Every structure is written in structure tokens, then in C-alpha cells.
Amino acid sequence: MDEVEWMHRHPKAEDLRIGLISWAGTYLTFEAYKNTVTANAKSLGRRQIWDLLVSNEQETQAVVRLRSLKGLYLLCEADGSMCHGQPRTSHHGCFLLRFHRNGKWTLQCIISGRYLESDGEDVFCNSRVLSAYHMWTPRPALHVHVTLYSPIYHTYARADHSMGRIWVDAAVPCVEECGFLLHFQDGCYHLETSTHHFLSRVDRLASQLSSKTAFHMQVRPRGLVALCDGEGGTLYPQGSHLLLGLGSSPTRGTEWFILRHFPTWVSLRSKARKFISVLYGAEVCATSERLTPMCLFQFECDSESPTLQLRSNNGCYLAQRPHRAVMADGHPMESDTFFRVHWNCGKIILQSSNGRFLSIAPNGLLIANTTSPGPNEELAIRFANRPFLVLRGRYGYVGSTSERDLIQCNMDQPDCIQLLPCRQGIYHFQAQGGSFWSITSFGTFRPWGKFALNFCVELQGSNLLTVLAPNGFYMRADRSGTLLADSEDITKECIWEF
């Protein structure tokens, strides 16, 4: 089979959402009551996240509307007050968005010509004379575990820890080195690698977060970002090996990256503990005793339905073909590439579109042959590109704080949960200090346990999961901000973005 070029998917709508920070450090917020708009929130939550709808974009400006997660729009009224509702005319709710060299944005009402501003609490459009009070800092609202994709070179950033560098040379983002944590602190961004080192302004990766690892971010619609040092230097790929470094003369837009959520790649093993892999002829079999790049599959699953697509390293999807064989030669819109996924204690069973279940033939080939699943149809699944989890729920990130001894679920900055694989679908959760997660009799968690406990992780979407805690209940986000394990059923509060 000829190798298929890896196609970069366009960012999803949730990857393009933003928060807007006023000069006072507070976020533009839609209030649930009376459809009002304020700027008094100190952190980025659901009510501070906006969809940026672009109707006309140029190099330094664009015409936009801001739509909240509630589906209503930011509107400027004739008296300069702001509200949250549906536009009454074609220009109602339209703003001229200008991009400034310091990374700030200004939003000017198309109808009145007045600028959006805040006094640190209220929001209004009163002045046509631009000032510092009209400046807003855009903050990408996507999950902090991200990839950096170069649309010029069609490659992804990759950390090389042996050399302490970052290269923009990965064709497929299937390894953990292509994932970065995007920290936002004091108006600047810090990029952390999978081994918890930081991109710095000097040549080498840094071991600790500091002023030398802080970058300003230029943000554009369509998920485009550029990282700058604020002193005229910009990060962009340089040289024939595409080393990511600071420079002052990027060409052809090489400084721009597409920021998107880090994809999920998994490995699958049969009952005989052989890895499912793709052979040269696109055949799919379970004969490999060691993990190779052809044993990796991107897990693409719509959270609204139980169907799954597995994208192989050759750029194609697993598909059920005639004579019940499964081949890695499918395309994303083919119905034969969709499989129904059934979870069973951390293992998965895949059912093809004809109703038959995938199993391993005596010669090792993966086929859709069985009408009644059993142990031979169960596949062990494990994360292939994630040494840790960063969990975000309905109220914020999962993390700990020195002010409370219980793990919280409403944090603006997350903790990394180190994953120690135990057996199929079962992991030990390790805190950042090396201790283990422990659970109390009330279903709450502490981050300083001495003994490893078993957590069962089940994927519910491309970047969504549920966690079955050691007490037999699902882990959920509580409105109080405390992380709990007390749910017998999977509810919206049990779904975690990772």
C-alpha cells in the first residue's frame, strides 16, 4: 500500500474559543440572570468563554461577533450599555476587532463607533477615543494540553529532551513529546513539555518556570498564535532541521502556529498479549510482541454517539472490508470505518457496522466474524502518548491548593496526574510530589497517600473520559469545588476533558 500523507484536521469549534481579560485583570463574563454582561470574574470558567465568529478578516483587523456558550451574543445598545441576547439587525452585535502589536485586542462597536471597555466590574461602550482601558488580552480557552502545528511546514512541534531543544519536525503527533502544557501566569504563557521542562528564551529547555520561560502570545482567529519575548524576538522554526528558537526575521508567516487540543493515541492488545498493528499491505493483525509506531491508533470518538474511528499511523482509518477482514485503508467519511465501542472493566469490544464483533483469527488477522462477544473479542487499551492526565470538568481543572487538604475541581491552573499503568484500563494516580491519590470514607480525595490505588479509566470521546474510583463510584465535579467519587451513574459532572 502506498503511504498516505497525514492530513491535519481543522481545529474544532472548542479549540477556537477565547476568554477576554480587561486592563484590570478581570474576565468578560455573561451573567445567567437578566442577560447582563460584567467583567468581575478573576478566573476563566464557562461563563467567561466566548466563540469568536469572524465575518471579514484582514491582516490587522476583523469584523466579529462574540457568542457565549449559552448561545447568546454580546450586544451594544444605543445608550452604550452592554447586554447578552440575540441580534435585532444584521449589524447589531458586530465589532471591529483590531490586533495590536503588544498582543492586545480592541473591540469597536460597528454601529456606534465606541470601544468596549470595563471599569473592572461593569462593561460598556461609551468612548470613541482609544485608551488603555479599551485594551483586552485574549486568552485561548481550549484545554491546556495542546499541540503546536506549523501550517507552513505541515509539521508539529516536538520536544527533544536528550538535546534540550524543541524541533518543528513531527509529521504525526502520536508521541508524548508532541504534547505541551500551556500555563498562563501574570499575563504571560509558559510552555511545559511532557517531562516537565519549559521552553525558554535561551537555547536549552529550562527545568523550572521563571521569567526566562515567559512569552507573550499574539492570538488571531482560526486558532493561530505566535509567541514573542516582548523585546522584538519571536519564536519560529529555524534552519534545515526546524529548530524552534527566538529570532527577529521570520518569513512567510513561519512564526504562526495552530493551537489545538493534544489528540489521544492508544495501543490495543489481544487476549494473547500481542499488539494490534498495521502491516505494509494495510492488513491489521495481532502478532507484534513489542510496541512500534504502527501499533499506535488515534482514538476519534463522538461523545454524542458510541461510535469510534481508529486512525492509524499511515493516515488511514481501520475499516471493515469484504470477507470480514479489517484493513487500514479507510477514509474518514466511510461508514465502514465506524465501530461501536463497548467497555468492559477497562477493556473494549468493537462492533462493526454489519453487527459483527472484531476478533483475532488463528493467523492473527483482525476480522469482524463473531455475533456473540467473549474474552477473545476483548482488547486491552492503553494510552500511548500520555504519561499524565490533566482533567477539566464543568467547574474548572482538577488540582490541589495549600489552602485546602482535599483535591479540588474548580481550579484555574491544573495539577498533572502521573499515570502508572497497572493492568488493562487500570491506572495508579500519582500526585506531583510522588505520593499517591488517596480516598476518604466521604468519597473525597487527598494527594498524599502512601499506597497506590486502582482507578479505572474509560474513554467517552476523543478527549473525554470517566474515572471509576477505588470505592466503586464514578468521580465527579461538585458545584462546591470539591472532587467527589459518589456517582453510581455517568452524569455530565462525571465527564472529564483531558
Side-chain angles (χ1 to χ4, degrees):
M1 175 187 172
D2 295 332
E3 186 174 343
V4 177
E5 181 183 357
W6 181 264
M7 296 298 292
H8 170 76
R9 292 289 191 87
H10 292 295
K12 299 178 182 178
E14 54 266 28
D15 290 339
L16 306 178
R17 290 170 176 158
I18 59 164
L20 288 173
I21 308 172
S22 73
W23 63 273
T26 55
Y27 287 82
L28 184 68
T29 303
F30 70 87
E31 303 293 350
Y33 56 91
K34 296 183 180 179
N35 289 337
T36 57
V37 180
T38 64
N40 52 19
K42 298 293 180 66
S43 60
L44 183 64
R46 290 180 60 82
R47 291 187 294 113
Q48 290 77 41
I49 294 176
W50 300 85
D51 284 313
L52 191 68
L53 307 180
V54 182
S55 58
N56 183 13
E57 183 181 358
Q58 300 176 19
E59 186 174 346
T60 59
Q61 62 187 34
V63 176
V64 301
R65 274 194 167 109
L66 291 173
R67 183 178 63 194
S68 73
L69 297 186
K70 195 177 178 182
L72 300 178
Y73 294 81
L74 179 69
L75 302 176
C76 177
E77 301 296 32
D79 60 358
S81 64
M82 305 301 298
C83 68
H84 181 231
Q86 293 293 345
R88 295 189 295 272
T89 66
S90 60
H91 289 93
H92 193 207
C94 287
F95 295 86
L96 180 63
L97 167 62
R98 287 193 177 92
F99 314 116
H100 296 267
R101 296 185 64 182
N102 61 358
K104 308 288 187 181
W105 287 2
T106 53
L107 290 154
Q108 186 178 21
C109 176
I110 291 289
I111 297 175
S112 69
R114 296 184 174 96
Y115 290 96
L116 181 71
E117 64 178 298
S118 169
D119 59 6
E121 293 185 359
D122 295 323
V123 181
F124 40 85
C125 279
N126 284 342
S127 176
R128 293 188 176 93
V129 180
L130 189 62
S131 72
Y133 297 103
H134 303 124
M135 296 290 175
W136 296 83
T137 301
R139 178 183 174 184
L142 79 170
H143 190 280
V144 296
H145 204 177
V146 300
T147 59
L148 292 170
Y149 174 75
S150 169
I152 299 296
Y153 295 107
H154 305 288
T155 51
Y156 294 83
R158 174 186 63 88
D160 183 348
H161 301 106
S162 63
M163 298 188 68
R165 305 290 182 89
I166 293 178
W167 313 93
V168 188
D169 63 356
V172 182
C174 61
V175 294
E176 64 184 60
E177 289 81 6
C178 291
F180 299 88
L181 293 179
L182 194 64
H183 295 277
F184 182 73
Q185 189 177 88
D186 299 327
C188 291
Y189 292 86
H190 305 260
L191 210 59
E192 182 180 355
T193 71
S194 60
T195 58
H196 308 299
H197 291 79
F198 294 88
L199 174 66
S200 72
R201 300 182 184 186
V202 297
D203 288 341
R204 299 283 177 176
L205 293 174
S207 59
Q208 291 183 334
L209 185 147
S210 69
S211 59
K212 292 183 179 180
T213 67
F215 293 89
H216 299 278
M217 182 181 285
Q218 297 274 353
V219 181
R220 297 290 185 272
R222 298 178 288 111
L224 287 171
V225 300
L227 292 168
C228 315
D229 64 359
E231 300 173 359
T234 302
L235 283 170
Y236 59 95
Q238 301 176 33
S240 59
H241 297 290
L242 301 180
L243 172 67
L244 185 63
L246 276 174
S248 58
S249 55
T251 59
R252 300 186 300 117
T254 53
E255 74 274 24
W256 294 103
F257 292 88
I258 294 177
L259 198 67
R260 65 174 302 179
H261 203 153
F262 188 40
T264 303
W265 286 75
V266 299
S267 64
L268 301 170
R269 294 178 82 171
S270 67
K271 180 185 176 183
R273 301 184 62 80
K274 300 292 181 66
F275 286 102
I276 305 294
S277 63
V278 179
L279 302 182
Y280 178 74
E283 290 182 330
V284 183
C285 64
T287 56
S288 179
E289 294 186 352
R290 62 187 185 90
L291 188 65
T292 68
M294 297 312 292
C295 299
L296 305 181
F297 301 92
Q298 186 174 350
F299 191 97
E300 298 185 10
C301 181
D302 183 359
S303 60
E304 301 300 323
S305 67
T307 57
L308 164 70
Q309 287 181 298
L310 291 170
R311 192 183 193 189
S312 70
N313 219 322
N314 66 9
C316 291
Y317 290 80
L318 299 196
Q320 193 223 318
R321 295 310 185 200
H323 309 295
R324 300 172 183 172
V326 174
M327 306 286 286
D329 62 357
H331 299 280
M333 299 308 294
E334 283 188 80
S335 60
D336 290 337
T337 65
F338 289 87
F339 298 90
R340 188 179 180 91
V341 59
H342 304 268
W343 284 91
N344 183 26
C345 299
K347 300 178 182 179
I348 63 170
I349 298 171
L350 298 177
Q351 187 177 17
S352 66
S353 56
N354 67 1
R356 293 181 179 271
F357 295 89
L358 270 56
S359 62
I360 310 300
N363 61 0
L365 289 178
L366 187 64
I367 58 174
N369 192 43
T370 307
T371 57
S372 180
N376 195 46
E377 285 67 52
E378 291 181 344
L379 299 173
I381 184 170
R382 180 170 291 179
F383 290 117
N385 66 337
R386 272 178 168 76
F388 56 80
L389 289 178
V390 172
L391 299 180
R392 181 166 72 169
R394 291 182 64 81
Y395 309 112
Y397 286 99
V398 171
S400 56
T401 171
S402 58
E403 299 172 357
R404 299 186 181 183
D405 64 344
L406 299 177
I407 295 177
Q408 303 296 300
C409 60
N410 61 351
M411 306 292 289
D412 186 57
Q413 298 293 331
D415 284 353
C416 287
I417 306 167
Q418 294 296 139
L419 291 176
L420 302 181
C422 178
R423 56 183 187 272
Q424 295 86 352
I426 306 297
Y427 296 87
H428 300 322
F429 283 7
Q430 191 174 35
Q432 290 174 300
S435 57
F436 295 97
W437 275 35
S438 65
I439 188 169
T440 72
S441 58
F442 301 102
T444 55
F445 296 92
R446 292 192 173 99
W448 54 69
K450 295 182 179 180
F451 304 103
L453 301 177
N454 293 339
F455 292 82
C456 181
V457 175
E458 295 185 353
L459 299 178
Q460 304 294 335
S462 297
N463 283 97
L464 301 174
L465 58 76
T466 53
V467 178
L468 194 62
N471 64 356
F473 292 96
Y474 284 100
M475 202 166 75
R476 71 173 181 89
D478 189 70
R479 189 178 294 273
S480 67
T482 301
L483 184 66
L484 291 172
D486 63 358
S487 182
E488 295 182 359
D489 302 313
I490 298 176
T491 66
K492 289 183 178 180
E493 292 184 331
C494 299
I495 302 294
W496 299 96
E497 188 181 10
F498 70 95

